[in-house]
């Protein structure tokens, strides 16, 4: 049997690379300081739950697929070490699993990741309000097609490299729908449903709705 644990991620600042500081400033303006602080507490608790769940598995059986990971081997190991050292809870989790025997695998296509990065930087570097609105609309349109191509590529990697008796772990953004393209015999166990993560992120960005936000946050970390 082939199994896959699906972890729909909530990204933290260290995961965002060079764009992290600008994105954080945008979040502070959008969320406000109090809501941002509560959100960061939920993110920390969420990743604590991920580590607890994966710690129950035999690490030697775990094969890790990480969104954005375009290489494995020495390069993949170096990426994990670098981002773990920067405090990414995602990569700290992976680093600990690898120390116990888990294996990181190539998950994505470099060309598609470069295009995703270009779209992000193009948006955060916009200077005027008009430019931001225009680039946001263009980015949303282009990202839809890019997301589908990335999903198909990630699913192909899992379908062709996850072997019988292995347990895959897919760390992927909640907007992705990789599972739709997986082989039917792969048993998928979501750590949390992508729909829950998406609903929570929408609630964080939306003004008001504090009760709903608290409820969704408790579901994520419960």
């Amino acid at each position: 049997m082939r199994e896959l644990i699906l972890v729909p991620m909530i990204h933290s600042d260290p995961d965002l690379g060079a764009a992290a500081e600008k994105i954080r400033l945008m979040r502070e303006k959008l969320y406000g300081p109090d809501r941002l602080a509560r959100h960061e507490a939920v993110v920390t608790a969420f990743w604590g739950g991920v580590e607890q769940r994966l710690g129950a598995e035999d690490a030697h059986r775990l094969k890790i697929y990480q969104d954005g990971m375009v290489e494995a081997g020495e390069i993949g190991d170096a990426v994990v070490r670098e981002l773990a050292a920067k405090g990414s809870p995602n990569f700290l989790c992976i680093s600990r699993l690898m120390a116990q025997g888990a294996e990181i695998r190539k998950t994505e296509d470099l060309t598609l990741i470069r295009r995703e990065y270009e779209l992000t930087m193009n948006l955060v570097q916009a200077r005027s309000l008009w430019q931001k609105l225009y680039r946001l609309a263009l980015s949303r349109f282009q990202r839809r097609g890019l997301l589908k191509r990335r999903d198909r590529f990630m699913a192909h990697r899992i379908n062709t490299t996850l072997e019988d008796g292995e347990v895959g772990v897919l760390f992927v953004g909640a907007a992705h729908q990789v599972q739709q393209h997986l082989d039917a015999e792969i048993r998928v166990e979501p750590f949390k449903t992508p729909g829950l993560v998406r609903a929570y992120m929408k609630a964080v960005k939306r003004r008001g709705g504090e009760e709903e936000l608290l409820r969704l946050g408790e579901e994520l970390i419960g």
Side-chain angles (χ1 to χ4, degrees):
M1 177 185 293
R2 297 190 291 170
E3 302 174 59
L4 182 74
I5 301 170
L6 173 65
V7 181
M9 296 188 301
I10 305 178
H11 288 291
S12 62
D13 288 349
D15 298 327
L16 303 175
E21 185 59 30
K22 290 185 177 181
I23 291 175
R24 181 176 178 81
L25 291 173
M26 291 170 64
R27 283 176 175 168
E28 286 179 350
K29 291 179 181 179
L30 181 64
Y31 301 173
D34 292 342
R35 179 170 285 205
L36 181 59
R38 289 198 302 271
H39 168 63
E40 290 176 342
V42 168
V43 172
T44 298
F46 173 85
W47 282 106
V50 172
E51 289 219 32
Q52 184 177 15
R53 168 63 187 89
L54 297 180
E57 296 287 336
D58 176 2
H60 291 87
R61 296 179 64 210
L62 294 180
K63 311 303 172 183
I64 299 170
Y65 300 88
Q66 166 69 45
D67 94 359
M69 184 61 66
V70 298
E71 291 289 347
E74 292 184 4
I75 294 176
D77 293 351
V79 170
V80 172
R81 287 195 301 270
E82 178 182 351
L83 291 175
K86 290 180 178 179
S88 164
N90 179 188
F91 284 90
L92 281 167
C93 177
I94 292 175
S95 177
R96 292 171 185 135
L97 291 171
M98 291 176 64
Q100 297 169 29
E103 175 190 344
I104 189 79
R105 287 182 169 170
K106 172 183 168 68
T107 309
E108 297 228 46
D109 177 73
L110 178 59
T111 301
L112 298 179
I113 292 301
R114 280 177 173 167
R115 182 56 186 151
E116 180 88 11
Y117 179 78
E118 289 169 0
L119 289 174
T120 300
M121 293 306 296
N122 191 44
L123 179 59
V124 300
Q125 290 172 354
R127 297 185 177 182
S128 68
L129 177 60
W130 178 87
Q131 195 176 53
K132 287 180 180 178
L133 291 173
Y134 172 76
R135 291 185 180 181
L136 178 60
L138 182 62
S139 174
R140 284 176 175 171
F141 174 77
Q142 293 179 332
R143 282 177 188 272
R144 281 195 291 268
L146 187 60
L147 196 70
K148 292 178 181 178
R149 292 171 64 191
R150 288 179 61 197
D151 285 350
R152 287 193 292 268
F153 189 92
M154 284 189 273
H156 173 73
R157 289 292 304 161
I158 296 168
N159 290 337
T160 56
T161 63
L162 186 64
E163 298 181 1
D164 188 52
E166 294 180 340
V167 178
V169 184
L170 174 60
F171 294 94
V172 68
H176 289 272
Q177 298 184 35
V178 178
Q179 60 271 33
Q180 293 186 359
H181 307 284
L182 294 172
D183 289 343
E185 71 272 17
I186 296 178
R187 186 173 70 84
V188 179
E189 176 201 332
F191 170 69
K192 299 290 181 180
T193 66
L196 173 59
V197 176
R198 289 194 297 268
Y200 169 78
M201 291 305 300
K202 286 181 181 179
V204 170
K205 298 172 185 177
R206 191 166 50 239
R207 293 186 183 277
E210 293 298 322
E211 290 185 5
E212 180 187 13
L213 178 59
L214 289 172
R215 178 182 63 79
L216 291 169
E218 288 174 357
E219 286 187 41
L220 274 178
I221 64 180

